[in-house]
């Protein structure tokens, strides 16, 4: 997620601030990335690279990249129309200073709030891929691996499946609740941070 967060935020802020041809190009790439099913992309990467940690890092980073580009770009467009950005521009501030001093401090909070929600989705994707044998491989611990190993003993030892599945569900639910609260708090205060 951090790969998608860092790269997506940088590209989104740059595209949202500069606009023009670069923004149009980023928009086409982002639309294509969002239109393609994420799990299918990761399965394709796993077919080329083989299952394992590297596949998960590349795949989940590729899946999260266009999402962060969209969130960062939308917030950059929102904040670049504000008075404090115009004032910095009129005082002769360079593009790099405006982006780092004026835009990034305001774009990062909503991006991080959305990152918490997306983290829940990526945890579910990792568990699903590990369950299918395309993610982390045993003996590396993963909730998906634990559920997959326990499925054959479900009749005799149901806790082998239900405990990791319940912890996975609670973790995803908790991250969604935390992310929703942060998003609501950020949207309530619509001023410069």
């Amino acid at each position: 997620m951090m790969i998608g967060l860092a790269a997506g935020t940088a590209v989104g802020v740059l595209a949202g601030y500069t606009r023009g041809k670069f923004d149009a190009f980023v928009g086409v790439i982002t639309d294509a990335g969002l239109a393609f099913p994420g799990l299918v992309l990761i399965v394709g990467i796993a077919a080329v690279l083989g299952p394992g940690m590297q596949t998960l890092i590349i795949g989940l980073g590729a899946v999260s990249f266009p999402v962060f580009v969209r969130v960062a770009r939308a917030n950059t467009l929102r904040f670049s129309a504000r008075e404090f950005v115009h004032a910095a521009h009129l005082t002769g501030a360079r593009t790099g200073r405006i982006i780092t001093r004026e835009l990034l401090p305001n774009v990062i909070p909503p991006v991080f709030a959305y990152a918490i929600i997306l983290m829940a989705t990526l945890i579910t994707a990792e568990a699903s891929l590990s369950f299918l044998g395309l993610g982390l491989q045993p003996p590396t611990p993963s909730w998906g691996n634990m559920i997959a190993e326990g499925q054959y003993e479900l009749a005799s030892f149901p806790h082998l499946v239900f405990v990791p599945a319940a912890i996975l569900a609670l973790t995803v639910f908790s991250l969604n609740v935390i992310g929703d609260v942060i998003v609501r708090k950020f949207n309530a205060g619509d001023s410069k941070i």
Side-chain angles (χ1 to χ4, degrees):
M1 184 192 75
M2 293 306 290
I3 293 171
L5 176 79
T9 300
V11 171
V13 168
L14 195 59
Y17 184 72
T18 59
R19 300 192 185 140
K21 290 181 182 179
F22 180 69
D23 186 30
F25 174 74
V26 168
V28 169
I29 297 298
T30 303
D31 290 342
L34 291 172
F36 200 80
L39 283 178
V40 174
L41 175 66
I42 297 172
V43 168
I45 292 171
V48 173
L49 299 177
M53 181 70 79
Q54 180 181 6
T55 301
L56 280 175
I57 291 171
I58 293 170
L60 295 176
V63 167
S64 64
F65 173 76
V67 175
F68 285 118
V69 170
R70 275 290 172 97
V71 173
R73 181 186 175 277
N75 282 287
T76 300
L77 290 174
R78 184 174 109 188
F79 285 112
S80 64
R82 296 285 181 87
E83 298 81 15
F84 59 90
V85 174
H86 291 302
H89 185 69
L90 290 174
T91 59
R94 296 184 181 193
T95 300
R97 185 190 180 284
I98 293 173
I99 289 174
T100 57
R101 295 269 178 111
E102 305 296 336
L103 291 174
L104 272 179
N106 290 290
V107 170
I108 286 175
V111 169
F112 273 133
Y114 193 75
I116 293 171
I117 295 171
L118 187 63
M119 187 185 309
T121 304
L122 295 180
I123 288 171
T124 305
E126 183 278 323
S128 302
L129 291 166
S130 294
F131 178 81
L132 296 172
L134 299 172
L136 298 175
Q137 298 299 303
T140 305
S142 166
W143 287 321
N145 287 339
M146 292 177 192
I147 295 169
E149 290 172 8
Q151 70 181 337
Y152 302 110
E153 303 293 332
L154 189 58
S156 303
F157 306 103
H159 65 280
L160 293 177
V161 171
F162 291 129
V163 170
I167 298 298
L168 175 64
L170 286 172
T171 302
V172 170
F173 177 74
S174 300
L175 288 171
N176 279 317
V177 169
I178 292 168
D180 284 344
V181 168
I182 293 172
V183 167
R184 269 189 257 124
K185 280 192 173 203
F186 177 76
N187 287 338
D190 195 41
S191 59
K192 183 178 187 247
I193 296 172

